[in-house]
Amino acid sequence: MKKRIIVACGGAVATSTVAANKIVELCKKEGIDVEIVQCRVSEISANLQNVSLIVTTARVSKDYGIPLENGMAFVSGIGMEAASQRILAHLR
Amino acid sequence: MLEQVQPEYKIDETLVKVKLQARNWEDVLKKMGTILLEQGYVRDTYIKGLIDREKEFPTGIATHNMGVAIPHTEASHVIKTTVAVAVLEKSVSFSLMGSDEGSVDVDIVFMLAVNNPDKHLLFLQKLMGILQKEEVLLGIKNAAYPKAIAEILDKEF
């Protein structure tokens, strides 16, 4: 069953593009079927149907009732392994 | 294996500055944004877009060995995809991306102008990859002149 993940960033869709790509690769390696919804943080509420996880590279103050992980590690390269494990744990 | 550097990704030396003087992050964005505007890469709404975005969603990143910033804004403000690079004469504080508080003293600023994130995924990935390479960042920081930085970056692309 496909897992739907939102990957969001502050606005220009630049960092979420990079994070989304890394997440797709990560899930492929683990054999997890994912569908990525890439959007701005301001658009998260509009895209919540069937979403298992939200990954964001920008700060988010709202609680959407769905697990949320910080994706900055995929951009800065620091803590990528830990972030990858946390994200996979939500999807398995 | 000989890899062709895509002409559109070749670093434009006129967009690279060393010893850039700036009072604060807003000054950095204005100075670098003006260069992009003058060289025809962005529209006149770009600088305001940068500043508005930086206020709400800051772009400071603390890498392993130094502070960098990757200011950018909506694709609609961009005419042609490129990156402007500046090594700051004196560190300037930027707020941290993705966190509620905290800031970082930034030495290198990579100002992105991307008019189509999906089409330029490889470009973005290579750029983000650079943030994870300590020696590359150090080389950029210690470069004596823009050409040296352009050469370092061209190798990465």
Side-chain angles (χ1 to χ4, degrees), chain B residues 2 7 13 47 77 83-84 92 106 108 111 122 127 137 142-143 154:
Chain B
L2 257 182
E13 244 175 79
I47 294 175
H77 302 300
V83 59
V92 167
V106 168
I108 306 176
M111 179 171 285
L122 189 60
L127 209 47
L137 292 180
N142 295 325
D154 279 334

Side-chain angles (χ1 to χ4, degrees), chain B residues 51-87:
Chain B
I51 294 174
D52 287 345
R53 183 256 156 77
E54 192 69 31
K55 282 188 184 149
E56 202 185 350
F57 295 111
T59 65
I61 300 178
T63 69
H64 283 292
N65 61 341
M66 69 177 79
V68 302
I70 53 168
H72 55 282
T73 180
E74 311 283 319
S76 56
H77 302 300
V78 178
I79 299 171
K80 211 171 132 193
T81 293
T82 189
V83 59
V85 184
V87 179

Side-chain angles (χ1 to χ4, degrees), chain A residues 10-15 17-18 21-22 38 40-41 57-59 70 72 74-78 80, chain B residues 53 55-58 61-64 70 72-74 97-100 117 121 124-125 128 131-132:
Chain A
V13 199
T15 52
T17 299
V18 173
N21 198 256
K22 288 236 164 87
Q38 223 179 301
R40 295 177 181 80
V41 165
T57 58
R59 55 186 170 203
N70 189 308
M72 266 314 293
F74 298 108
V75 176
S76 67
I78 298 177
M80 255 204 309
Chain B
R53 183 256 156 77
K55 282 188 184 149
E56 202 185 350
F57 295 111
I61 300 178
T63 69
H64 283 292
I70 53 168
H72 55 282
T73 180
E74 311 283 319
M97 183 185 276
S99 72
D100 286 317
L121 175 61
L124 284 169
Q125 282 182 317
M128 297 300 151
L131 302 187
Q132 298 167 27

Side-chain angles (χ1 to χ4, degrees), chain A residues 6-48:
Chain A
I6 287 179
V7 182
C9 75
V13 199
T15 52
S16 64
T17 299
V18 173
N21 198 256
K22 288 236 164 87
I23 292 170
V24 165
E25 276 175 24
L26 177 71
C27 290
K28 218 191 244 175
K29 263 207 300 208
E30 298 285 319
I32 300 175
D33 203 9
V34 281
E35 180 196 335
I36 306 265
V37 175
Q38 223 179 301
C39 66
R40 295 177 181 80
V41 165
S42 54
E43 296 163 343
I44 291 180
S45 315
N47 287 290
L48 289 172

Side-chain angles (χ1 to χ4, degrees), chain B residues 19-23 28 87-93 106-107:
Chain B
K19 298 194 177 15
L20 183 73
Q21 297 189 335
R23 292 180 296 266
V28 174
V87 179
L88 304 181
E89 166 93 333
K90 231 173 54 168
S91 311
V92 167
S93 183
V106 168
D107 287 310

